Amino acid sequence: MTQFNKLLDNLNTEQKKAVLDTEGPNLIVAGAGSGKTRVLTTKLAYIISEKRAWPNQILCVTFTNKAAKEMQNRVLGFIKGKSSAVPWLGTFHSISVKFLRRHAEAIGFKSNFTILDTDDQKKLIKKICEAENIDAKKISPQFIISFIDNWKNKGLTHKDVKIKKNNTLESQILKVYSIYQQKSQDLNAMDFGDLILFTVKLFENNNDIAEIYRKNFKYILVDEYQDTNFIQNKWLNLLVNSKQNICCVGDDDQSIYSWRGAEIKNFLTFDKIYPDCKVYKLEQNYRSTKNILETASSLISNNNSRVGKKLWSSGNDGDLVKLNCYSSGKDEATGVSDIIETKIKKKYSLNNVCILVRAIYQTREFEERFLKIGLGYRVLGGIRFYERAEIKDAISYLRIVNQKFDDLALERVIGAPKKGVGDATLKKIYEYGSKEKLCLEDTIINLIKLDQFKPKIKKTFSVLIKMIEKWRIEAKKIKHYDLLKLILDESGYSSALKNKKDLENENRLENLKELLRAMQDYENLQDFLEHVSLATSADQEWEGEKVNLMTMHAAKGLEFDVVFLPGWEEGLFPHQKSLQEKGDFALEEERRLAYVGITRAKKEAFLSFAMRRAYQGDWMDAVPSRFINELPENNIEKNEIVEKENDDDFDFNQDNSIELGDEYRSPGWDRLKKKLIKWKK
């Protein structure tokens, strides 16, 4: 163990214990910034270096290919080329592919099977829906895929699924699932869900094959264990041998992906599955200041479903966590930008500054502000607001209403939502238009008159042209944002998104609502479209000094010197829809999300909420998030209400005595009401 002395010297006491204990089941509860990757990698290198197992006798599972590659490189660096790479180090999916290539025949496939991507799945399901007379407008292929994925995550083949009586929707989806699986097998193809599910079925139905791997894998190491779903956990348990040398690393307080199947109970019941397990808690944080850690720890302590730990740091206290109150969402964006410009820029690189939002549409007000003052920014894990597909679609409708010669806008409108117009038809239109020197709209009108379209296409174009003409008349009578509401309704765009019931389309609808709110800041349609043109033509280079914007979900695993956490209001955070669907379970996950957000900050953290926000054209009083009530008094600095000059028509009542009535019953409101009164004094 001599060569490891130096490595071990860099570990704290609990980290060393976790590394050196290789026998039997281990659960390493690793808090944010506690060095879990270092511990897991060192443990892997230690097992190899001490010849407790050869590299091919270790199964090491990560959640991303990037993490697997980084771990592979670190291990090779630790053992300095004395061993080959670890062949069974990878993601659940990549390792499952290895198993299935070797044993495909045992589950009715050939070893050269194809792996279907999402587009392949959509195409196949669309064909099935057409054959079975299932209306894809009512039940979208993406919606069906999400259902099927959910079943597979729960370990259910189409034969295992039980549908309640009179549930027509699920019965239809189950029928598609059954046909889809048969078609996939006929094509010798599997999707990503199949890779793990079929591996589990392979081992369950072929104990001799499973036993080969159980004997081979002397050690099993698992990263980000809190993010495993039911089928992944079953996959792991099937590979554990009688010695039970399985080590799982993760943080139950950072379990934030239940919406994609992750089950925190895998983590919380590990000691029930493996009664002899040893639990190691990595509580020393190497990332954040004491004030940031104590704030996060106090907040997460309100959760009941957790192993329990308290992060600490040997570093300095650092600045108090700032809690700011703003009159509106717009003022919040202005206030945050002012802090960045006047204070943060002087001390930190903008590349180390991040704004974390609960919902992606929240980036809009910050983007608008940054564009206005010329502050560089990038949206990580997402697309700039005005570049999002649904926003560009909506803008295209407005552009063609505003200007009939905007061919690019009309071309986009023809495909949003899809109207059954193919490339051949578009080619025909453009050839005629070029010959006659007509704009796209006039070309279509002429071809309709000349009866050059098939009946169905002719009807589609006739309806579209009539609607555009109608909207141009309406544009002279109503506000430009009311015009967009009308367009989204009458074009079928909104209903198309509503009918496709999945998270992606819900986010698109929220983005469109935010677009309607943005339009109210401009006098007329022309002014707004000019603003959009300037916004979309702004510098988009990623290099250089730029503030980072992203969702809290996307920030997991990252860290920044300074973190801003805006929008801490009831309904937004915790998110109302989550609470309605899953109650207390969702509340605890939302609190874990808050914990993740705060612990991304290394040196300074700024929390904020607005007293009012615009929602679908109306100003609504906002109630501060219940999470604010759970923050520790000693680690928080409450700042005065920040009033900014508002250049829209909204007049914030600065003499509000905060007599808000009985409708505000959220935990923490009473205490905050008193604080707000003090702030105003």
Side-chain angles (χ1 to χ4, degrees), residues 1 19-24 43-55 57-58 216-219 243 245:
M1 180 175 126
V19 167
L20 297 175
D21 186 359
T22 60
E23 307 309 300
K43 191 179 185 95
L44 176 57
Y46 172 70
I47 291 169
I48 296 170
S49 180
E50 294 300 301
K51 295 184 172 57
R52 298 187 177 228
W54 296 107
Q57 294 176 315
I58 304 169
N216 180 70
F217 296 137
K218 292 186 176 181
Y219 297 93
K243 292 187 177 180
N245 293 335

Side-chain angles (χ1 to χ4, degrees), residues 209-416:
I209 295 175
E211 193 60 28
I212 293 170
Y213 293 102
R214 281 195 286 264
K215 286 180 179 178
N216 180 70
F217 296 137
K218 292 186 176 181
Y219 297 93
I220 298 176
L221 306 179
V222 187
D223 194 16
E224 303 288 3
Y225 184 56
Q226 79 281 345
D227 292 334
T228 55
N229 58 34
F230 173 85
I231 198 67
Q232 289 166 337
N233 200 45
K234 195 169 187 177
W235 185 100
L236 287 168
N237 292 332
L238 283 167
L239 288 167
V240 177
N241 60 31
S242 59
K243 292 187 177 180
Q244 297 188 342
N245 293 335
I246 179 171
C247 175
C248 294
V249 183
D251 184 3
D252 52 317
D253 290 335
Q254 295 189 68
S255 179
I256 57 174
Y257 296 127
S258 69
W259 49 274
R260 64 187 191 195
E263 295 194 5
I264 191 174
K265 71 177 182 181
N266 293 341
F267 198 100
L268 299 177
T269 60
F270 186 84
D271 61 343
K272 303 289 191 302
I273 301 170
Y274 302 103
D276 297 328
C277 83
K278 294 177 184 175
V279 179
Y280 296 95
K281 295 183 181 181
L282 307 185
E283 297 174 305
Q284 185 173 357
N285 177 283
Y286 296 92
R287 175 188 299 158
S288 308
T289 64
K290 288 181 180 178
N291 279 314
I292 291 171
L293 291 180
E294 288 176 14
T295 299
S297 294
S298 177
L299 179 67
I300 199 64
S301 68
N302 290 277
N303 273 6
N304 295 316
S305 300
R306 61 192 297 258
V307 174
K309 62 182 179 302
K310 185 173 176 65
L311 295 181
W312 62 276
S313 171
S314 60
N316 58 38
D317 291 347
D319 292 344
L320 294 172
V321 173
K322 309 297 192 301
L323 174 62
N324 292 328
C325 170
Y326 297 96
S327 62
S328 68
K330 188 174 182 178
D331 284 352
E332 185 177 48
T334 302
V336 168
S337 69
D338 286 351
I339 293 170
I340 293 172
E341 288 277 28
T342 60
K343 297 178 182 178
I344 302 303
K345 277 177 72 175
K346 297 175 183 178
K347 297 191 285 183
Y348 309 101
S349 162
L350 291 182
N351 293 330
N352 270 314
V353 178
C354 188
I355 298 172
L356 297 179
V357 296
R358 173 61 180 87
I360 192 64
Y361 73 83
Q362 289 175 260
T363 68
R364 200 273 307 170
E365 285 183 314
F366 292 97
E367 290 186 57
E368 297 268 21
R369 177 63 184 172
F370 294 163
L371 287 168
K372 186 176 181 179
I373 65 174
L375 188 66
Y377 74 92
R378 61 175 70 87
V379 180
L380 296 179
I383 304 168
R384 290 184 179 215
F385 185 80
Y386 288 111
E387 293 168 7
R388 294 166 194 167
E390 63 280 6
I391 302 300
K392 293 178 79 170
D393 290 343
I395 298 295
S396 293
Y397 273 100
L398 292 171
R399 281 169 51 186
I400 194 59
V401 169
N402 189 60
Q403 216 274 73
K404 74 174 287 183
F405 299 101
D406 195 337
D407 288 359
L408 292 175
L410 183 54
E411 185 177 342
R412 190 172 185 105
V413 164
I414 290 169

Side-chain angles (χ1 to χ4, degrees), residues 11-12 14-16 18-19 28 34-44 74 249 282:
L11 302 178
N12 63 43
E14 199 68 8
Q15 288 175 330
K16 283 180 189 176
V19 167
I28 301 176
S34 63
K36 75 171 177 66
T37 304
R38 179 195 297 177
V39 169
L40 191 64
T41 308
T42 307
K43 191 179 185 95
L44 176 57
R74 285 196 191 189
V249 183
L282 307 185

